[in-house]
Amino acid sequence: MNGVALGPLVMDASRLAFVTAAMAFLLIADFRGFGAAARARRHGGSRWAFAVFAAWIIGARLGFVLVNSASFAAQPWDALKLWQGGFAPWYGAIAAAMMIVFAGLRHRAALWPLALGAVAAAAVFLAVNSAFIGPAPDLPGGTFDALRGPDVTLEDIEGPVVLNLWATWCPPCRSEMPMMLDVAAKGDEATFVFANQGEGAAQIGRFLASEGLAADHIVLDRQMALMKTLGAKGLPATLIFDRTGALVQSHTGEISRAALERALRQVAAGAP
């Protein structure tokens, strides 16, 4: 799994890598030396550093929305939910590079610090992200009680599998569940299994009833065995396995419809 625990806070490794890289960029791009003259130069540098950072965010997000426009068509306001993730790095890199060139034309002294900061940020992102990527687990075995219908044995499922670990007390889980159940009901690219962690059928049933959600695809993992086996650091955790049981993608935290549907298209395209 790619989740990282920082005390009580759990986040996806790629998000931690992004935050670290952003800090590295802003520090390096804003550095102008020491002394009064340096502080004067730093004032202008700060403006350009934040402009380049904003250009990357806007470009990467717009690129992701354009590439996955079908997923945003029904609910275009979802494009503003940046906390769910969903960025196209190369689009962001193009937008940031354009802003760096513009900054160099307007304020020549800002060019090299901004360029150096961008290179350092890319290196920091790759280093931090790689440091927290562990071995990819295969689809675990086990038979679990279903909230509705027969028991579910994971290793008997044919085709790709989307395994979501969740709980009713988890706000991001509650937020993403209606969307994920809707995708599960409408698509046939994979079999969805929503494995509740540590709760009973009555508690789950009350949550589903209060939200007007169906009980399909939900199983009970009362001992939280899947979290332990998969090394999940927090909830929700979404893991996508191909038809051979190999892990293709994993995501810690709330996932967007666009990111989920994109992952499903990728796993379906890779199917023999």
Side-chain angles (χ1 to χ4, degrees):
M1 282 294 295
N2 60 351
V4 181
L6 302 173
L9 178 65
V10 177
M11 68 173 65
D12 196 86
S14 61
R15 294 185 183 183
L16 175 63
F18 171 77
V19 171
T20 308
M23 293 173 61
F25 169 75
L26 293 174
L27 286 172
I28 295 173
D30 190 34
F31 182 74
R32 297 292 186 278
F34 303 97
R39 285 194 295 271
R41 292 192 301 269
R42 189 176 297 126
H43 178 71
S46 297
R47 180 184 62 186
W48 289 116
F50 279 101
V52 171
F53 179 68
W56 190 96
I57 293 289
I58 295 171
R61 184 59 174 177
L62 285 178
F64 182 82
V65 172
L66 288 173
V67 171
N68 300 279
S69 57
S71 298
F72 288 99
Q75 296 178 306
W77 289 110
D78 283 355
L80 300 179
K81 297 179 179 179
L82 302 183
W83 62 88
Q84 293 182 341
F87 296 91
W90 286 111
Y91 285 85
I94 292 172
M98 292 174 63
M99 183 58 72
I100 290 174
V101 172
F102 180 72
L105 294 174
R106 294 292 303 274
H107 188 71
R108 184 173 299 179
L111 178 60
W112 287 110
L114 289 172
L116 181 59
V119 173
V124 168
F125 178 87
L126 293 174
V128 174
N129 196 44
S130 300
F132 289 101
I133 295 179
D138 291 331
L139 179 67
T143 300
F144 300 89
D145 295 335
L147 198 61
R148 174 186 295 172
D151 296 347
V152 174
T153 301
L154 293 180
E155 59 264 39
D156 289 346
I157 298 176
E158 297 182 358
V161 176
V162 176
L163 178 60
N164 177 262
L165 311 182
W166 71 288
T168 64
W169 54 261
C170 162
C173 302
R174 298 169 68 99
S175 177
E176 73 176 9
M177 184 59 70
M179 176 275 295
M180 296 198 71
L181 285 172
D182 182 61
V183 173
K186 293 180 179 178
D188 57 1
E189 299 92 343
T191 299
F192 281 73
V193 178
F194 299 94
N196 180 273
Q197 299 298 289
E199 297 177 317
Q203 185 173 356
I204 300 170
R206 286 193 296 270
F207 162 71
L208 296 175
S210 68
E211 300 293 326
L213 300 175
D216 301 322
H217 311 289
I218 295 177
V219 303
L220 283 68
D221 182 8
R222 295 183 178 88
Q223 304 303 318
M224 302 174 67
L226 289 173
M227 279 196 75
K228 300 171 186 173
T229 300
L230 295 168
K233 302 293 185 181
L235 301 176
T238 302
L239 303 95
I240 302 176
F241 300 88
D242 65 16
R243 62 176 58 252
T244 69
L247 180 66
V248 177
Q249 291 190 39
S250 64
H251 184 91
T252 300
E254 184 179 354
I255 191 171
S256 67
R257 177 185 291 269
L260 178 60
E261 291 180 343
R262 181 169 180 260
L264 289 174
R265 289 194 299 269
Q266 290 175 341
V267 76

